[in-house]
Amino acid sequence: MIWDTHAHLDDPDYAEDFQEVVARLLSSGITRVTNVGYDLASSERSVKLSQDYDFIYAAIGIHPHNAEGATDETWAKLLLLAKQPKVLAWGEIGLDYYRDLSPRSIQKEIFIQQIKLANEVGLPIVIHNRDAHQDVLEIVKAHPPKYGGVFHCYSGSLEMAAILLNLGFYLSFAGPVTYKNARHTVEVAGNVPLDRILVETDSPYLTPEPRRGKRNEPTYVREVVKKIAEIRKIPFEDLASQTMLNAATLFGIHKK
Ligand SMILES: [Zn+2]
């Protein structure tokens, strides 16, 4: 049993063969998928998917790319979505200084605002951080998420990982841990305490080896589990069940 903790199955890339993607993941032992929103519309689609499919859960939020244009109405609608029974997290939120699609000041402002909203409704947060390590760290220190959180597709250093683990965060690994140039990520994945690791695909992006470059789907989270189990020298099944338990703990699924 594996939990793909971060996917975007509402992406148009799946319009043609969604049912086949679902059939494949279910027959590959993927028993849960968290579908993650990045704007209001995708948050609504995530909630809809969680209503239509037993194995799908939702996260809702505004990605830093879409930081501009969020209004009071956006927040009001997200707060309503947050109360839906299978919404387990607020995200993905954070900072992206790599693509810089929104002004940094606005990215920071809505990141902070959404941590506050997550605290208000009792949800953990899903953090997207690209080339913004210092500012993300400052913000989560100044505005700690009360219900914890996960750094999705963790790409930082071992030093930063140590700080985040101390602050109580989980680190989630995706396809890049299988890439040939992933020396740093492999090092981190080998050192994070086993009870703080999550696995994900970020489908349709970040396809693990050996399919790198093609469309990703939750079934391939098995490659991520396989790689980290190899790094840790533990059985595949042990890592799968441990990461399942970790996700259940972070997402507070027992309470839902
Ligand atoms: Zn994502």
Side-chain angles (χ1 to χ4, degrees), residues 6-8 36-38 63 92 126 128 152 200-203 205-206:
H6 193 118
H8 304 281
V36 180
Y38 47 85
H63 191 285
E92 53 188 298
V126 178
H128 171 101
H152 116 83
E200 62 168 291
T201 56
D202 202 19
S203 297
Y205 315 107
L206 302 178

Side-chain angles (χ1 to χ4, degrees), residues 79 83 113 115-123 146-147:
L79 278 170
K83 301 198 171 100
Q113 182 161 2
I115 295 174
K116 290 179 181 164
L117 291 175
N119 288 347
E120 201 178 302
V121 294
L123 291 176
K146 273 195 215 160
Y147 300 89

Side-chain angles (χ1 to χ4, degrees), residues 147-185:
Y147 300 89
V150 54
F151 275 73
H152 116 83
C153 191
Y154 184 75
S155 62
S157 63
L158 202 53
E159 292 71 29
M160 171 139 171
I163 296 170
L164 296 175
L165 291 165
N166 257 327
L167 292 170
F169 287 102
Y170 288 75
L171 305 184
S172 179
F173 296 92
V177 74
T178 69
Y179 298 168
K180 284 186 187 65
N181 59 357
R183 202 165 49 83
H184 287 295
T185 311

